[in-house]
Amino acid sequence: MVDPTPPPTPLPRGIGRAATAALALEGITTLDDVREVDLDGLLRLHGVGPKAIQVLREALASTPG
């Protein structure tokens, strides 16, 4: 039997290691997790800057969900 649920979409590499680590500490490890939070609020996390937010916005816009 095949599971029809698609695998989670990982965070884009373009956000950088510091941003990836900061998001992981908050339990945000996939784009699906990012959809559940306020992107502008993520700027308060050390390591997450405007570039990372822009990359996340672009990734969200280009993936279904």
Side-chain angles (χ1 to χ4, degrees):
M1 186 171 184
V2 177
D3 184 2
T5 306
T9 305
L11 295 173
R13 289 180 170 227
I15 66 172
R17 289 189 326 194
T20 300
L23 293 172
L25 286 173
E26 297 293 316
I28 301 169
T29 58
T30 67
L31 278 180
D32 292 329
D33 296 335
V34 174
R35 283 184 173 84
E36 305 291 321
V37 299
D38 173 37
L39 286 178
D40 293 325
L42 294 178
L43 285 169
R44 68 175 171 73
L45 300 175
H46 181 74
V48 179
K51 179 186 174 202
I53 297 300
Q54 182 60 36
V55 171
L56 289 171
R57 285 187 199 284
E58 292 170 2
L60 290 171
S62 68
T63 58

